[in-house]
Amino acid sequence: MRTHEFDVVVVGGGAAGLSAALAAREAGASVALLEASGVFGGTASWTGGAFWAPLNRYEMEQGAEDSREKVLTYMRQCAEGRGDEVLFKTYLDAAPGLIDFLERVSPLKITPGSMPDYQGHIEGAITKPGQSRSVAPDAFDLNLLGDKRALARRSPHGTMPYSFPEFEEMGITIHPELLDWADYQKRIDQGLVGWGEALAAGLLAGCIDRKVALFPNTRGRALLQNGRVEGVRADGPDGPVEFRAKAVVLTTGGFEWNEEEMARHFPCPIEPATVPTNRGDGLAMARDAGAALGNMNTLWGWPSIVLDGETQEDGHKLVRTSLFERLLPHMICVNGQGERFADETISYHRLLKIMIQQDDKGGFPNLPAFHIFDRQYRERYPFGPVMPGGADPDWLKGYPTLAALAAAIGVPAAALQRTVRTYNASVAKGRDDEFQRGGGGYATFFGDRENKPTPNMGTIEKAPFYAVPMIPGTIGTC
């Protein structure tokens, strides 16, 4: 069996693994980075690329009234009693300096964020417009990767070659028709990427520049042990291979593509919206080595949209997020009883938890779930890949009445009509007494700030009426 020796072996080439490799290399170690697929970047390359770095210099320049204790209060509340105080404080100690570190060890440039904390209802949250604990990468030039450009994972959701500040200034989240397509194409032709693609590619460029040894198509299978961990046994493109090391870092993502593990820990079907190499390899290696496990029944995810026939290049389903659609006016979400079950404008993490809650009988009262909207929404806002005002595709069928819509999706017509009638009355009053829809910083950020009287409320009353299934999706497991 072939053998390599390094000071540090990092298993998993997503954003965490790339960052860990850079940190080890910065400390003077020789580093090998193993990645099970043929490209680096992991699920991070499919995301918005923003990361939460409280008390960073940009937040302070924005004038945020923040403090260490305020952040810790927020973190403790978010963890719901299942967090580790040592980890909280370690994270908070490291976060403010992360921007400087990434810009020093890679060609990444970091821009200030504007997104409020997701859990704005919790003590310690930052929700004031123009202030944010988050930061995000600037647009990145893939040409900086040279002949290693093909090693950068690309997003199946398409490339957005702009930074977050540029994107927000253009206002194209809910008004994509405002995008300057000539400028967009020019940036694409120049090799620019943004968001998660920029974050992952920038970190990869740093690893290449600093001579991290990259091993694509190399899947970690077991930890080598002799009284302590001494390395990793892996399956490489040419067969088994051993990596001897003084330290091993596991950053292989979750186990959401492992059907057996998912069935053991999550009793309802959840579509993975992550890279298919998230099979729990690191979990299996750590468990076999006697590691303690925790929070195995916890995931983070979002309400998702899966359209018939829409697949990625590798044949897997394309799982889209219902990130902003459900927060916009003229839309609500209902369960199989035709009833609303939550404030649709809360963060995707919270709404996903409500969707997959079990009742006393072991059932899932909020599954199935549906987006319900009308012609007013279709004329003003995008839904998934469909632009506002355009022709309805085959998968998006409109119905002349709510009763006809209810019959088509199999929910009680009387209940759906009652739900919509109650909601429309709330819109007329300017407040949602049932679920308190909207009103927070997160809801305002993703809503239509030009809509009156609120960014998130509008009647559902003009035919045709539409319904699109809202499916539980995971973007990570513990």
Side-chain angles (χ1 to χ4, degrees), residues 14-259:
L18 291 162
S19 299
L22 283 169
R25 196 74 185 97
E26 177 77 349
S30 59
V31 183
L33 178 58
L34 282 52
E35 165 55 39
S37 74
V39 287
F40 293 81
T43 304
S45 61
W46 296 4
T47 70
F51 50 96
W52 198 67
L55 305 179
N56 69 77
R57 69 170 186 264
Y58 290 131
E59 183 196 355
M60 298 299 98
E61 291 171 2
Q62 291 168 345
E65 295 180 1
D66 206 358
S67 67
R68 182 180 178 84
E69 190 54 42
K70 188 173 181 178
V71 178
L72 284 171
T73 297
Y74 179 75
M75 295 173 78
R76 292 168 184 140
Q77 294 288 321
C78 287
E80 299 176 342
R82 290 177 292 175
D84 185 321
E85 193 73 11
V86 173
L87 290 179
F88 292 162
K89 292 179 178 179
T90 301
Y91 185 95
L92 189 51
D93 288 341
L98 185 59
I99 297 172
D100 292 336
F101 170 77
L102 292 178
E103 292 185 338
R104 184 174 70 252
V105 301
S106 78
L108 272 177
K109 298 299 178 185
I110 306 300
T111 64
S114 56
M115 191 178 298
D117 284 339
Y118 282 14
Q119 317 293 354
H121 64 295
I122 287 179
E123 182 183 358
I126 292 291
T127 60
K128 187 176 181 180
Q131 297 180 0
S132 179
R133 288 169 171 157
S134 297
V135 294
D138 201 351
F140 181 80
D141 184 356
L142 288 177
N143 294 302
L144 294 176
L145 292 170
D147 61 0
K148 300 294 193 296
R149 180 169 171 168
L151 290 178
R153 183 181 288 276
R154 305 302 301 274
S155 172
H157 302 286
T159 292
M160 184 52 63
Y162 299 97
S163 67
F164 259 99
E166 290 173 320
F167 188 81
E168 186 176 3
E169 184 178 355
M170 290 185 288
I172 56 178
T173 302
I174 61 175
H175 291 298
E177 68 276 8
L178 299 179
L179 179 62
D180 182 338
W181 286 101
D183 181 65
Y184 174 89
Q185 191 59 51
K186 177 182 177 182
R187 287 173 174 246
I188 293 292
D189 293 342
Q190 290 173 339
L192 295 179
V193 294
W195 298 19
E197 287 185 314
L199 176 66
L203 293 172
L204 175 61
C207 286
I208 293 170
D209 292 345
R210 290 181 171 254
K211 303 297 189 293
V212 170
L214 302 176
F215 291 86
N217 298 305
T218 304
R219 182 181 181 183
R221 303 298 275 178
L223 295 174
L224 304 177
Q225 300 177 72
N226 184 17
R228 59 178 297 276
V229 173
E230 294 185 336
V232 176
R233 179 177 61 78
D235 291 337
D238 299 317
V241 58
E242 288 188 351
F243 293 84
R244 297 283 174 175
K246 299 173 184 176
V248 174
V249 182
L250 299 177
T251 58
T252 59
F255 56 82
E256 55 274 7
W257 284 88
N258 185 317
E259 292 184 6

